[in-house]
Amino acid sequence: MYVAPSILSADFGNLAAEIRAICEAGCDLVHVDVMDGHFVVNAVAKAATKPLDIHLMVENNSFFADLFLPLKPKFLTFHIEEEKHPLRLIDHIRKNGVGPGIVLNPHTPVSAIEHIIDEVDIVLLMSVNPGFGGQKFMPVVLEKTRALRELIERKNAKCLIEVDGGINGLNAPDLEEAGADILVAGNHIFSSNSYEQAIRAIKLEF
């Protein structure tokens, strides 16, 4: 299991130190939620020693993709609900040497991306309504994760499954069993006394 701490829950007054701390604590990716502007992403990129996992929560995906592609994140994901030309954007992201991905809100069915599942490197399932941290995990996303894993195997696709929202050491085993590859956690990690122990709990390293 890979862990991607979400900086949405970090101390923004001490952001560089927070990023260094989670990288040293054993995270695999640094998850960046983009809702406005780009100054935060640039600051994270300077401090991170692990690859960036950039999640666009914007309307103008192409504009923001072009802002962040030069940072060469590991993944750049966008919401299928907000994009009229997903295949065009996926191709653009890949041609710039970055792994393209699709995000699904909690109530968007997996069937919405069946036609493009073999074109992306990662699918991010939101297990809370996006916008702010500290929300509770929606159990319905467990079945959605299983459905996505079945679709990937049926289509012989090569993409990873990432789940974001309300993740902790208690629901991580169920998500692993359901087929998730990467778990995004913000509040669970940044509110803990030990970032390393919180990350190890999600990785199921006891």
Side-chain angles (χ1 to χ4, degrees), residues 179-190:
D181 301 293
I182 304 172
L183 299 181
V184 177
N187 190 59
H188 170 75
I189 294 173
F190 286 104

Side-chain angles (χ1 to χ4, degrees), residues 12-206:
F12 275 61
N14 197 25
L15 187 59
E18 290 274 64
I19 301 304
R20 287 193 294 270
I22 58 173
C23 290
E24 292 170 1
C27 75
D28 301 289
L29 299 157
V30 178
H31 189 81
V32 185
D33 294 306
V34 177
M35 289 172 277
D36 54 28
H38 62 277
F39 64 95
V40 172
V41 184
N42 290 332
V44 172
K46 290 179 181 178
T49 56
K50 298 295 177 71
L52 297 188
D53 174 27
I54 298 180
H55 169 198
L56 299 181
M57 292 190 286
V58 297
E59 293 183 357
N60 192 344
N61 287 303
S62 295
F63 172 80
F64 281 95
D66 284 338
L67 279 181
F68 304 132
L69 284 171
L71 298 177
K72 296 299 180 184
K74 176 73 172 178
F75 302 115
L76 183 61
T77 59
F78 61 90
H79 281 258
I80 191 69
E81 301 90 355
E82 296 290 345
E83 183 53 47
K84 294 181 180 179
H85 307 288
L87 283 174
R88 182 187 304 170
L89 183 54
I90 288 167
D91 184 60
H92 178 62
I93 294 170
R94 191 178 297 285
K95 283 182 176 178
N96 279 272
V98 174
I102 291 288
V103 188
L104 299 182
N105 279 332
H107 301 296
T108 301
V110 168
S111 58
I113 59 169
E114 184 169 359
H115 63 299
I116 57 174
I117 189 68
D118 53 355
E119 301 291 338
V120 297
D121 289 2
I122 189 169
V123 176
L124 171 55
L125 300 179
M126 295 302 301
S127 45
V128 298
N129 289 308
F132 61 94
Q135 299 181 64
K136 290 185 177 180
F137 175 81
M138 294 181 175
V140 67
V141 178
L142 279 172
E143 189 55 42
K144 192 173 180 179
T145 304
R146 294 187 184 97
L148 178 56
R149 176 57 63 195
E150 187 278 330
L151 173 62
I152 291 170
E153 293 178 355
R154 176 162 52 86
K155 291 278 192 174
N156 197 29
K158 304 299 181 184
C159 69
L160 300 171
I161 298 176
E162 184 174 36
V163 183
D164 179 3
I167 303 298
N168 55 47
L170 297 178
N171 51 36
D174 292 332
L175 285 161
E176 181 184 48
E177 182 275 329
D181 301 293
I182 304 172
L183 299 181
V184 177
N187 190 59
H188 170 75
I189 294 173
F190 286 104
S191 66
S192 69
N193 293 324
S194 169
Y195 293 173
E196 181 178 1
Q197 289 181 12
I199 290 171
R200 287 175 63 87
I202 296 173
K203 287 188 173 189
L204 310 179
E205 297 175 349
F206 305 108

